[in-house]
Amino acid sequence: MILSHKAIDKRIFLPVVGLFGLAALFLMLGGPRLQQPLTAILSWVNVHFGWLYLLVFIVNFIFLLWLAFSRYGNIKLGKPNDKPIYGNFKWGSMIFATGIDASIMMLSITDPLQFIQAPPFGLKPYSDSAYIASSALSQFNWGPMAWMMFAPAAILIGYVTYRKNKPTQKLSDNFSFLQGNRPGKKVLRVLIDFLVVIGIIGGLGSSIGMEVPRTSRVFSAVTNIPNTIWLQLGIFFVLFVLLGLTVYKGLNGGIDRLSMFNIYLAVVFLALILAVSPTGTLLADWGKSLGVLAQKFIPMSTNIHPSPTQQDTIFYWGWWLTFMPLMGTFIAKISRGRTIRQILLGMLGYGVPGCFLFHAILGGYAMWLQRTGVIDLVSVLNHHSQADVIVAVIATLPLKKLMLIFYAISCFIFLAATISGAAYVLSSFTSTPLYGKEPSRFNRMSWVFIFLAFAFSLVLVGGFEVIQTISVLAGLPLTIVCLLVLFSIYRLVKHDRELIFTPTELKNTDRRQKYTVERKFAVRGKLILSFNNYHNLSRP
């Protein structure tokens, strides 16, 4: 049964639609004139709230590492005999493809080029050390601290849904201390969900607004069609059709297949570049950058002094925060039967190496072109655009037309996978109780339309700083939401009283449903097995 538009929770849906409708109209009317004031807002937030972003990411990273390697890491999100729905590779592919969208294929090229002009750690611009440090900083922004930001909501939602057997549809449903009918608690729940939805739209809208002009520029280079607003509008229309088909299919048969196809495309694209590039040089430089990353990890994590490189990290932290509720819900949906440790280490094991691979090959190749003087990519970046840098890099490859097409398709599929997952999650957040059913197609398609409309307004304004500003502002209220999520996880695992059954224990009892397990704190934490209907169990 497909629910109709009547199943939409209007308390959240209508205010968000109205807010972003007005925002889109304001941006469209303001156009490029808004670039300067929005950039000034970005600098102000960086100076006054940069410390808050850094603090939240540090707390989150340390807490989740403790959780993964503590005894609580063995807690399974599900019943003792639940098995994962998806295999490890498919599970990791869905998370990777949905989480990073097409931005990795652009920013892994352009970020290091930006950093070598004003490198971190006081290094001399364009020096050998600057190239290595710039690559390290770029990978830091896509590294372990970033990927761990997806985990809090995933652990909380998965725990409450599959272990506590409580229906959770919105993020606020998982905060036990906010449940109840008191007016104050109701207001706080609606406020949290409202901020979450705003954050997701702001972050994802920024991603689309950043990536469509790049895809348009690449498509223009292949077809010689002028790169105008009409070409970009056409790409938005094609994206809307593709998303309509994917969202119509839902999670199984739509998003999962798109994610797998996306991963295979990306792997082939990277392999082609690696085959024609100076492989040894790229791998050697990558190894050096990983060494710098390990050595400077703490200074980069705690850098509160405003600078171009620090501002870039704050942009990323705001951006990753906006994806936290979205990816948390999505990961929880596909992770039933996995332990907390498996989820946390799996995200690090798939997400971080995947991003590092893009930086090693795409970013490494661009840096090699700049360093050897094959092409002055920094000049292209400063006087033209990021999209022109990408075209210039790919134009140095054999069969450049084919490689440009390959690149454009990969970006397109990456973006479609991310938007599809976001539409699925937001439609759940803004529905009345679904009782196990999927959100209505009307609701899902409404969010696709909102994403694209808001992103198109950002395209009309233009400028990468505008994208950064929207991401940072959208992520700011989610710093508090993230801390609330961590607090809720701590409360849940500290009071978890269920025994973690092993497969042997499950096999040896055919009446396990009659067993209950409790932690008796008076016995110094030992687990005591109690029986319901003891006399019945003792009978043959």
Side-chain angles (χ1 to χ4, degrees), residues 232-293:
Q232 295 174 6
L233 189 60
I235 291 176
F236 271 104
F237 177 75
V238 174
L239 189 59
F240 181 79
V241 173
L242 177 61
L243 290 170
L245 295 174
T246 306
V247 171
Y248 183 86
K249 282 284 188 180
L251 187 63
N252 295 312
I255 297 172
D256 58 345
R257 292 183 179 179
L258 192 64
S259 299
M260 293 299 296
F261 180 65
N262 186 22
I263 293 299
Y264 292 135
L265 270 181
V267 169
V268 172
F269 181 74
L270 291 177
L272 290 174
I273 294 180
L274 191 61
V276 300
S277 63
T279 307
T281 301
L282 264 59
L283 293 179
D285 288 344
W286 182 41
K288 294 176 183 177
S289 69
L290 292 180
V292 173
L293 175 60

Side-chain angles (χ1 to χ4, degrees), residues 9 31 53 82 88 98 127 129 142 192-193 198 216 258 295 299 311 370 416-417 428 432 442 477 493 521 540:
D9 187 345
Y53 291 95
D82 281 347
N88 290 333
T98 305
S127 65
S129 299
W142 292 82
I192 287 174
D193 293 327
I198 287 179
S216 172
L258 192 64
Q295 180 184 3
Q311 179 171 291
Q370 174 69 35
S428 296
T432 53
F442 174 84
V493 299
F521 293 101

Side-chain angles (χ1 to χ4, degrees), residues 22 44 46 66 115 156 217 221 293 297 306 317 334 388 397 446 526 538:
L22 291 174
W44 184 85
N46 184 39
W66 166 80
F115 297 153
L156 178 62
R217 177 65 183 88
L293 175 60
F297 188 83
W317 280 187
I334 64 175
D388 290 295
L397 300 170
S446 296
K526 291 185 179 180
S538 62

Side-chain angles (χ1 to χ4, degrees), residues 65-332:
L65 284 181
W66 166 80
L67 187 66
F69 294 104
S70 70
R71 65 181 184 274
Y72 305 117
N74 292 321
I75 295 175
K76 178 182 285 189
L77 302 187
K79 301 185 184 307
N81 56 338
D82 281 347
K83 302 294 182 183
I85 302 173
Y86 301 100
N88 290 333
F89 182 73
K90 191 171 187 178
W91 177 81
S93 298
M94 293 174 72
I95 292 175
F96 187 76
T98 305
I100 65 167
D101 62 56
S103 304
I104 187 71
M105 299 193 68
M106 178 192 72
L107 296 175
S108 62
I109 295 175
T110 58
D111 275 354
L113 295 172
Q114 186 72 46
F115 297 153
I116 60 175
Q117 304 174 69
F121 319 127
L123 297 173
K124 182 181 178 181
Y126 302 102
S127 65
D128 292 342
S129 299
Y131 278 92
I132 300 301
S134 297
S135 179
L137 177 60
S138 184
Q139 292 176 86
F140 170 79
N141 292 334
W142 292 82
M145 294 189 74
W147 275 94
M148 286 298 244
M149 184 48 69
F150 289 162
I155 300 300
L156 178 62
I157 294 170
Y159 190 103
V160 174
T161 303
Y162 304 131
R163 195 163 178 86
K164 305 290 284 187
N165 295 316
K166 294 182 179 179
T168 59
Q169 189 174 310
K170 302 176 176 66
L171 186 61
S172 64
D173 294 337
N174 301 276
F175 297 132
S176 59
F177 54 90
L178 289 181
Q179 303 311 307
N181 294 321
R182 293 183 180 180
K185 291 185 176 182
K186 288 183 177 180
V187 170
L188 285 175
R189 291 201 300 269
V190 173
L191 177 62
I192 287 174
D193 293 327
F194 182 74
L195 293 176
V196 165
V197 173
I198 287 179
I200 292 174
I201 298 175
L204 189 56
S206 299
S207 296
I208 303 170
M210 174 172 54
E211 290 150 18
V212 167
R214 280 72 184 171
T215 305
S216 172
R217 177 65 183 88
V218 173
F219 186 79
S220 175
V222 174
T223 62
N224 293 322
I225 297 176
N227 183 27
T228 63
I229 192 63
W230 296 106
L231 177 59
Q232 295 174 6
L233 189 60
I235 291 176
F236 271 104
F237 177 75
V238 174
L239 189 59
F240 181 79
V241 173
L242 177 61
L243 290 170
L245 295 174
T246 306
V247 171
Y248 183 86
K249 282 284 188 180
L251 187 63
N252 295 312
I255 297 172
D256 58 345
R257 292 183 179 179
L258 192 64
S259 299
M260 293 299 296
F261 180 65
N262 186 22
I263 293 299
Y264 292 135
L265 270 181
V267 169
V268 172
F269 181 74
L270 291 177
L272 290 174
I273 294 180
L274 191 61
V276 300
S277 63
T279 307
T281 301
L282 264 59
L283 293 179
D285 288 344
W286 182 41
K288 294 176 183 177
S289 69
L290 292 180
V292 173
L293 175 60
Q295 180 184 3
K296 299 291 186 179
F297 188 83
I298 294 178
M300 286 189 285
S301 304
T302 57
N303 180 21
I304 62 173
H305 302 291
S307 65
T309 53
Q310 189 257 9
Q311 179 171 291
D312 202 74
T313 296
I314 299 303
F315 151 63
Y316 275 107
W317 280 187
W319 191 34
W320 289 96
L321 268 167
T322 63
F323 277 81
M324 183 264 292
L326 160 65
M327 286 303 300
T329 305
F330 182 76
I331 292 169

